[in-house]
Amino acid sequence: MAKALVVYATITGNNEDVADIITDALEDLGAEVDEVEMTMADPADFEDADICVICPYTYDEGALPEEGLDFYEDLQEEQLAGKVYGVAGSGDTFYGDDFCVAVDKFGDALARTGAIKGAENVKVNLAPDEEDIQKLDAFAKQLVEKAAKLND
């Protein structure tokens, strides 16, 4: 059984909803999942997981979550070769080109750790709707399938 760690940051609750949807989907697929708010997590926690998921929100005009800045910086020091990762998060399309840029920044940071991208980034406008839930369920399925292939 794959172990997954879902780390999220939220202000409005939208991103916690994103993390909850992913956690439920991973559990439904047989993964053992821990879901942790970003201020309570350390990137080194990913060393004990097969699947590493980060759910950051994008603040204002492309800013990373303030409470996630230390996590982001510490993530740069991690070596997560052999781990599967995925990033999904919420933002607001009102900000145009800055919509969900934290998702891409955290994805790039995870790629630099040597982890293997298991699914394309998922970007949610504000609160997840039914279409977003389907995308997040597919995201979770891709992560589990990628982790299973690596462990064969």
Side-chain angles (χ1 to χ4, degrees), residues 35-108:
E35 182 179 320
V36 182
E37 200 278 323
M38 197 170 279
T39 60
M40 304 302 290
D42 186 291
D45 298 339
F46 284 135
E47 294 170 16
D48 297 326
D50 303 303
I51 300 170
C52 311
V53 179
I54 299 178
C55 300
Y57 63 86
T58 302
Y59 185 72
D60 200 29
E61 296 178 356
L64 295 177
E66 190 166 316
E67 70 274 23
L69 294 176
D70 288 340
F71 188 92
Y72 181 79
E73 290 301 318
D74 292 346
L75 184 59
Q76 313 294 321
E77 307 301 317
E78 285 300 312
Q79 294 298 314
L80 299 173
K83 310 292 182 186
V84 172
Y85 78 87
V87 184
S90 65
D92 189 335
T93 55
F94 171 81
Y95 292 103
D97 290 343
D98 292 323
F99 172 65
C100 281
V101 296
V103 169
D104 295 331
K105 288 180 180 177
F106 272 97
D108 292 344

Side-chain angles (χ1 to χ4, degrees), residues 12 28 33 60 79 105 130 132 146 151-152:
T12 62
D28 289 347
V33 187
D60 200 29
Q79 294 298 314
K105 288 180 180 177
E130 196 57 44
D132 294 317
K146 187 71 160 188
N151 291 324
D152 279 350

